[in-house]
Structure formats: structure tokens, C-alpha cells
Amino acid sequence: MTLQPLTPVNCASLLQPGCSLLQLDGEVLLFGQKGWPKRTCPTGIFSVRFKHNSEMKLRAISLSNDSCYLPPLRCPAVCRLDPYDGLPESYLIHGGRTPNNEISSNLYLLTVDSRGCNRKLTLCCKEKELVGEVPGARYGHTASVVQSLGKTACVLFGGRSYMPARERTTETWNSVVDCPPQVFLFDLEFGCSSAHILPELSEGQSFHLALAREDCVYFLGGHSLASDSRPPRLFRLRVELLQGSPRLSCEALVTGLSISSAITTRTGPTHRYIILGGYQSDSQKSMDCSTVILDEKGIHIEHLEPPKWIPDIIQSRTWFGGSAGESGILLGVPTEGRPSQQDMHYFYHVSFQTEEQGTDVEEGTQGCSQESTDYDDSTPLEDSEELYFGREPHELEDSSDGEGDTYNEEDEEDESQTGYWIKCCLGCQLDPNTWEPYYSTELHRPAMIFCSRGEEGHWVHAQCMELSEAMLLRLSQGNRKYFCHDHGGLPYQEMTPPRQVMPLQRISMKVKDRKTPVTIKMSPAKKRFFRRLFD
């Protein structure tokens, strides 16, 4: 367990309380902030990268052309969907509060659209419509995925919203209240939503934790505005997705945590979590750390030795953060108004990995380092303009203004650890000691092709894919995706449709000095008169 201070490089103002951290396609994504102005990415989604174990940089993430607008949402309900039934990994995002204090009631589905040759990630955002008993606008709630009898559904609970319109006055116009303690259940295929009232859930709660395993969801902690308390509550909600209508049952357990706004991170493929941070009261942070294990028997909560907190963290009144991958947490602590400190927050990376795991992850991170200079050294400003007054000369070095998405040599992988001389797939037959050229285009390395599917994608030897040289050349042209045998069978491509060029309309040129004949308009009677006159 380590606590590592981080130095944000021109991105400290983008991380604010209420932001969310997502883990998608092997990357940590920051969501919930305004995007950089005058850039190719005004979406407010950034890739968080830790460089040299002390620097933190953000790289802008773009959305596909068919994506809908995704507003910067603070404290939404975020739920991860693992791949199932042939669907890719994705995230469900519901509700949230915008920087303009508008509360959303929309549901978005965020997936990976593509990853370019320089490993630039493009996401796709779609808004899903719900029918039936739809949950209202709220924030500070939770969403969880349950699986029962071969079906998958989403459970939504808790949160806060504005006071009803009929109860709002001039003094209480922006006052928020706890949402009614209803459990909303909606299926992901058809979007049918239903509301359920359970007697055990008699009081609204928000900023709690929700941990799910199979058909059970555990609601842990939370804050209630009605009683202004954080009782050590722990509920187990069981969902049975029957053929006709679902059956929900709730049970109040004894062992719980008196905590709100805590951060949870997963420590592996099993249902093992670590809870850190949060608040025990409005003026007291929770400095403890706990391990939560979900198994067939139920939930087990054990105390875990917290990291050695430094004085800046202990003396701060507030803190925030999120899960930065497995066994990692990103913490933000305000600078408490120090005039000598330019940034608004201090940032720390808390790792709960052992030394062996940390070495493996560090080696893997270095081997897959795909850093680009795009946006890294740009100063993020507000939505209006981008100014460079007062910039130092070293801040303008390696600036990417005007470069767009050009290829950067630094984006290439370190082939000593990844790429040509590794086992590209389960059936890889290439040996670096006895390798001989197979294609006529090969000089010193075997030909490779990039598989876009899987975590972060990977390179596969063309010979292992049993490709002919003509097929390899044909697949290497255009903007296409490749899939190896382990990710979809035979390779196929998705080619961008050719651009249609409208033919030019040819207009005949008129001679400048040409005189057009004079035409006189006459009635038929006048024409007959002149004809008889000249005859």
C-alpha cells in the first residue's frame, strides 16, 4: 500500500469534486468536466495517464459522429457493464448535476467506438429511452447490474433532487431533498422501467455505496437529509427476474458502515473491494479503510490498515476522488486557499497492490506507453476563449496547436516488451531465434496486423493469422479494423465509405462581342399585314 503525490501537468483545474473515473478498454477516463475549447474534443472526457510515477496528464477523448451530446455531469449514477451476449464492455450513466445546477434525468450508454493506429480512443455515446415508471432527475444515487435466471437488469436507488415545484418558494428555490426510497428496475434491452416500494427502505439516502453480485445488491452507508445523519445502514436487495414480473425482497443487516461519499475500487476479478475516504459527519472525514468481500454466503467487511496519511490530507476539510483502475485510487485534496499554490488541489495516487503486482503493472504500463503530445502541454481554460498571455517559453515547447491527429513517433510501442517478439496469440508459431522471412515484403521483422478487439487491442503476426500476401496488402489499405482468430474468427474489415464527389457543372462560355439578333414582338394580325404588304 503506497501513497504517491502527483504533479498535474496543466490539468489541475479540470478535476473537480463530483467527477467520475471510468475504466474502459484498459484506460482510466475522467468524466464530468467541461471540455477544452477550440479543440477536437469538447466532450469533457479525458484519459488519465500517470507518467514516471509522479506526473499526471490528461488526453482528450473524442466521440464518434453518431454520438449524442453528453453534458458534464457531476455525481451521476455510474454502472459498468461487463461484456455479455456478444455486447462489448460499456458504462451506464444516469442523472447527475451540471455545473449550471441543472439536474439530469437522462440515461446514457457509453461504449468504445474505435481505436486508431496511434491508439487514439474514440467513444460512442447513445441516449437510451425509458418507458413506464421512469425515475426522475436526481444526483448522488447509485446504479447496479443484476443477473438472474439468465436475464440482466439495472437497479437504481437513492439520490437527491430539487424540492417539488408546488413546495418551492423564493427562499427555497434551490433547496434539495432526498428522493423517495423507491427502487427502480429496468431492463437494458427494451428500456422498460418499474418502481418498487419496500418496507425496509423507509428513508431516502444518497451518496451511499452499492455493490452487486449476481442477483443481490448491497446498499452501504449513505446520508439522509431528513434526519441529517449517517447511520451504519446495510441492506441486501435480492432481485428475481421472473417471466411475468420481477420479485424484489430486502433485508436489513447488522454490520454496516457510517459513511458517505466513499470511494471504492475493485482488487481483482473476484468480488473483492476496498473502501476508502468519505465522511463520518459534515466536518469529519473518514480516515479508515475497509475491505469488502462478496461471496455466496453474503457480505464480509474487514478493517484494513490505511496508508500513512500526510499532514495535508489530515488537515483538509474535504477530499474527493475515484477508482483509478484495479487496486488504485486517485485522491484530490484542496489547497485550502494558499496564495503560494497556483493549483486548486493536491493529487495523490493510492495503490493497494503488492510489490510484485506493482512491478508487473509498471512494466506493462511502460511497454504499452502510447503517449502523444496532443493536448498534453495545452492550458485548459473556460468555454469562451483560449489565451496565451503570460505563458512561459518552456510551456510552448512541443505544443500541438494545428497538428490535429498527426502521427507521432513516440506513440509507437516499445518492441522490447511488446509487439514483434512476443507470443501474439495462443497459437503463435514464430520464434525470434529461428524466424525466416515469409512474405516478400518482410526485411528484418515479420509482418504484423493490429487486432482492434480486446483490452487495448494487440498486434498479431500475419503469418499466424494464415493470411496470404495479397490479403495482407489489401487489409493494410484504408481505415479498417482487424480481428484475430481469438476475437471473432477470420479477419474482416470495416472500411470507411468512399467520399462522393459531386460532378462539376459545365457552363458554356459566351463570346464577349457576339451580338444577339433583334427580335420584334408582333401580334398575328400585324404579321399578316406585313406579309401582304411586301407580297
Side-chain angles (χ1 to χ4, degrees), residues 94-314:
H94 180 271
R97 192 170 185 172
T98 66
N100 298 327
N101 288 331
E102 298 176 354
I103 302 180
S104 172
S105 61
N106 298 332
L107 177 66
Y108 301 96
L109 180 66
L110 194 66
T111 57
V112 176
D113 181 72
S114 64
R115 187 183 283 275
C117 57
N118 63 342
R119 304 189 61 80
K120 180 180 179 181
L121 184 66
T122 302
L123 302 179
C124 178
C125 180
K126 297 291 186 180
E127 183 176 353
K128 296 183 68 67
E129 295 184 359
L130 297 178
V131 295
E133 298 173 308
V134 180
R138 62 190 65 202
Y139 70 99
H141 54 305
T142 57
S144 308
V145 172
V146 293
Q147 295 178 349
S148 173
L149 303 177
K151 300 179 183 179
T152 303
C154 183
V155 175
L156 190 143
F157 175 70
R160 293 177 182 172
S161 183
Y162 282 127
M163 190 177 295
R166 61 181 179 274
E167 301 178 7
R168 300 167 73 178
T169 62
T170 305
E171 292 78 9
T172 62
W173 190 256
N174 292 325
S175 299
V176 294
V177 294
D178 287 328
C179 296
Q182 293 178 311
V183 177
F184 292 90
L185 183 69
F186 51 89
D187 65 284
L188 304 177
E189 183 178 0
F190 302 102
C192 299
S193 176
S194 59
H196 304 268
I197 299 177
L198 302 174
E200 292 79 7
L201 303 175
S202 58
E203 189 177 16
Q205 61 187 91
S206 55
F207 297 101
H208 55 280
L209 295 177
L211 305 176
R213 174 185 170 92
E214 297 178 355
D215 60 346
C216 291
V217 182
Y218 297 88
F219 300 129
L220 187 63
H223 178 257
S224 176
L225 281 177
S227 59
D228 191 17
S229 61
R230 296 172 175 84
R233 289 177 295 196
L234 177 59
F235 299 98
R236 177 171 59 190
L237 177 69
R238 186 180 300 273
V239 180
E240 298 180 65
L241 301 177
L242 303 178
Q243 187 68 28
S245 60
R247 180 190 303 168
L248 279 71
S249 60
C250 186
E251 179 184 1
L253 305 180
V254 179
T255 57
L257 294 178
S258 177
I259 195 174
S260 64
S261 300
I263 305 171
T264 177
T265 181
R266 198 167 179 172
T267 60
T270 58
H271 294 275
R272 183 185 179 92
Y273 304 89
I274 293 179
I275 300 176
L276 181 68
Y279 301 92
Q280 292 180 347
S281 64
D282 294 339
S283 59
Q284 182 181 2
K285 303 194 307 294
S286 175
M287 312 298 294
D288 298 331
C289 185
S290 303
T291 301
V292 178
I293 303 174
L294 305 181
D295 54 16
E296 295 81 1
K297 299 180 180 179
I299 183 172
H300 308 278
I301 303 176
E302 301 176 358
H303 176 73
L304 182 65
E305 187 67 23
K308 296 181 180 179
W309 302 116
I310 61 177
D312 288 334
I313 296 180
I314 297 176

Side-chain angles (χ1 to χ4, degrees), residues 487-508:
H487 297 102
L490 296 177
Y492 66 94
Q493 61 277 358
E494 298 176 1
M495 186 173 182
T496 304
R499 183 179 180 182
Q500 297 181 356
V501 181
M502 299 298 294
L504 296 177
Q505 183 179 1
R506 298 183 178 275
I507 302 176
S508 59

Side-chain angles (χ1 to χ4, degrees), residues 59 118 120 372-374 400 402-409 411:
R59 184 180 183 183
N118 63 342
K120 180 180 179 181
S372 173
T373 57
D374 294 348
S400 61
E403 292 180 1
D405 298 330
T406 56
Y407 172 78
N408 188 355
E409 188 176 0
D411 290 344

